[in-house]
Amino acid sequence: MAPRGGFSSRIGFIAAAAGSAVGLGNIWGFPFEVGEGGGAAFVVIYLMFCFILCFPVMATEIAIGRKTQKNPVGAFTALGYKNWNWVGKLGILAGILILSFYNVIAGWAFGYIFEMAAGHFGGGEQFGEYTLKIFKVGGYGLAFMATTALVVSRGISGGIEKAAKMLMPTLVVMMLAMVIYSLTLPNAMDGIRFYLVPDFSKINAGVVYNAMGQAFFSLSLGMGALITYGSYVNKKENIVSAAALITLADVGIAVIAGLMIFPLIGFMSGGTMEGAAGGPGLIFVTLPTIFGTLGSIGPVVGTLFFVLLCFAALTSTVSLLEVPVAYAVDELNIKRNRAVWIVAGIIFAIGIPSLLGFGYSDFFSTAFTTYKEGGTDTDFLSFIASLANDSILPLGGCMIAFFAAHVWRKHNLDDELAEGSPNYKGSFVQKYLNFAVGYLAPFVLAVVFVLTVLFKFFGISIF
Ligand code: PFF
C-alpha cells in the first residue's frame, strides 16, 4: 500500500486542524448566532461549551486517529470493532453533505470579492439577483471546489499543511486590520457593548441549544475530521495540549470576528444595534450595505473582508474533502489524486440543488419543510444543514465519545493520550477528560440529538 503521508511538524498539524475549525462557522455563523441569541450572554455559553464539552471530544477524536492511522471507518475496524464502523460511515456522509452546501456559500463569498472590488453594494436586492445567476455562482462554486481539490491532491504535508501555514497567519493579520478599522468608526462602542456585556435575561433553552450546535460545528467535531487529521500525527505529539490550542484558536477567531462585525453594525445603526439579528443575511446583505456607506474605502474594506472569508473557508473545505478522500484511499485502494477529483466532482454535483434553492428552482427553494417555527417551507440548503450539522454531528459525537470510553475503554484512550504527554496520567486533566468523554458528552449530545430531530423533523418542541 502506498504511504499515507503525515504532518511534518507540530505547528503544521495545529495550523491545519485550526484551519479546519476556523471557517464560515466562525465568521459567518458565530456573529449571526450571537445577534439572534441576544449578544454577550450567548458568547458566555458558547465559550463554556467549547472548553467543557468540545475540547475533550476533540482530544478523543485525535487519539483514535493517531492510534489507528486510519480514516474514520477504518479506525473502528482497526481497533477491533468492525460493528461500530457505521459511526465512521455516518461521519463520511456528513462530510459529503456539509461540503456540498458549504462550497455553495464559499463560492458566493468568492464571487463577492469581485462584487466588492467593483463597488457593487446593493444589499438584499443585489444578493437576491446574484444567487439567481446560476451559471455565474455555479462557476464560482466550481472554482472553489477545484481549488480545494488541488490542495488536497498535493497530500498532507505538501498540500493541506502548506496551505494552512500560509493562509492562517494571513487570515489573522487581515482580521486584526479589519478590527482596528471597525473600532475607529462612530458608534463602534455600542456594538462592542452589545457583543461583550451579557444580559442573562436573554438566555432560554433555544439559545443554549444553538450555542451547543454552533460550538460543535465550529470545532469540526462529530464526523471524524479530526480522526482523519489525527491519523497523520506522529507519536511524539502531545494531543491534549494540541487540542487545547486548536480550541483556543477557533474560539479566538470567532471572538475576533465579532469584534470586526459588531462595531460595523453599531456604526450603521447609529448605536441602536438594529440589524444585529440579521440572521444568515448578515454577511451577504447587511455587511455589503455597510461597506457602501464607507465612501472611497468601501471597496477596499469589502474586498478584504471577502478575501479573508474565502481563506477561512478554504482550510475548512480542504478538511471536509480529506475525510471521504482518506476513506477512498485507505479502504477502496484508489490513488489519492484520482480519489480527490472523483470525490470533489460528486460532491459538487450533490451541491447543485442547494445552489438552485435560492429562488431559481421553486421546488428546491421551498419544498423542504422542517416544521421549524410551525412548519415553514425551507430551502434545500437549510434542510441539508439541519440533517448534517444539527443532527448527524451530535449523534456522531455522542457515539464517538461513548465508544472511546466504554467500548474501546478509558484505559486505552488514556494510554494513547499519554503518548507524547508524560505527565498526563494521574493529572486533573486526565480525570476531567475521563468524566467528560465517559458521561457528560454522551449524555448532553444524546439529548441535543433527540431534541433536534423531534423539533426539526417532527415539529415537536419539548422546551
Ligand atoms: N468548522 C468549520 C467551520 O466552522 O466553518 C466547518 C466544518 C469543517 C465542520 C470541517 C466539520 C468539519 F469536519
Side-chain angles (χ1 to χ4, degrees), residues 85-100:
N85 75 15
W86 63 272
V87 177
K89 288 184 180 151
L90 208 60
I92 287 170
L93 175 69
I96 291 172
L97 293 177
I98 293 174
L99 182 54
S100 78

Side-chain angles (χ1 to χ4, degrees), residues 395-425:
L395 175 64
C398 172
M399 290 298 147
I400 291 170
F402 181 87
F403 169 84
H406 304 290
V407 181
W408 184 36
R409 305 198 85 84
K410 281 181 195 146
H411 64 91
N412 287 316
L413 176 63
D414 281 341
D415 285 348
E416 189 56 35
L417 290 173
E419 290 259 5
S421 172
N423 301 327
Y424 177 69
K425 285 201 178 162

Side-chain angles (χ1 to χ4, degrees), residues 37-98:
F42 177 91
V43 180
V44 173
I45 301 181
Y46 175 78
L47 293 180
M48 281 173 25
F49 274 131
C50 284
F51 288 103
I52 295 176
L53 196 125
C54 296
F55 155 67
V57 177
M58 180 183 290
T60 305
E61 281 205 24
I62 300 172
I64 293 177
R66 186 176 68 178
K67 174 77 190 172
T68 58
Q69 313 268 297
K70 283 275 190 293
N71 67 88
V73 176
F76 287 96
T77 311
L79 291 174
Y81 301 95
K82 193 161 187 236
N83 54 349
W84 274 80
N85 75 15
W86 63 272
V87 177
K89 288 184 180 151
L90 208 60
I92 287 170
L93 175 69
I96 291 172
L97 293 177
I98 293 174

Side-chain angles (χ1 to χ4, degrees), residues 200-392:
F200 287 102
S201 69
K202 298 260 168 58
I203 293 184
N204 56 35
V207 172
V208 174
Y209 179 65
N210 280 349
M212 173 71 237
Q214 173 63 25
F216 219 65
F217 178 77
S218 183
L219 288 164
S220 304
L221 297 174
M223 51 161 271
L226 288 157
I227 295 183
T228 310
Y229 273 16
S231 75
Y232 304 119
V233 170
N234 74 45
K235 289 281 181 198
K236 287 193 274 305
E237 209 56 75
N238 183 331
I239 293 179
V240 178
S241 72
L245 280 174
I246 296 161
T247 308
L248 267 177
D250 185 62
V251 166
I253 298 276
V255 169
I256 294 175
L259 292 176
M260 174 168 90
I261 285 168
F262 289 107
L264 287 171
I265 298 176
F267 163 67
M268 188 189 72
S269 64
T272 64
M273 293 312 285
E274 209 174 306
L282 185 62
I283 291 298
F284 290 100
V285 177
T286 315
L287 288 188
T289 313
I290 298 173
F291 299 146
T293 62
L294 300 177
S296 58
I297 198 171
V300 179
V301 178
T303 307
L304 179 70
F305 177 80
F306 282 98
V307 169
L308 75 83
L309 190 61
C310 285
F311 278 16
L314 184 60
T315 47
S316 298
T317 52
V318 158
S319 72
L320 286 161
L321 183 58
E322 177 59 27
V323 175
V325 164
Y327 171 75
V329 171
D330 292 346
E331 308 297 312
L332 311 175
N333 269 322
I334 304 177
K335 287 223 164 60
R336 169 169 280 272
N337 201 34
R338 249 180 101 96
V340 167
W341 293 99
I342 294 173
V343 174
I346 294 174
I347 296 179
F348 181 78
I350 297 176
I352 290 175
S354 291
L355 188 71
L356 300 179
F358 286 80
Y360 189 83
S361 145
D362 278 349
F363 177 69
F364 290 120
S365 302
T366 56
F368 293 87
T369 303
T370 61
Y371 298 100
K372 204 175 178 178
E373 283 154 26
T376 48
D377 290 345
T378 191
D379 58 278
F380 191 76
L381 191 155
S382 307
F383 168 71
I384 296 292
S386 298
L387 188 68
N389 308 5
D390 303 337
S391 311
I392 304 183

Side-chain angles (χ1 to χ4, degrees), residues 18-32:
S20 168
V22 172
L24 296 172
N26 303 60
I27 299 169
W28 177 58
F30 178 73
F32 96 67

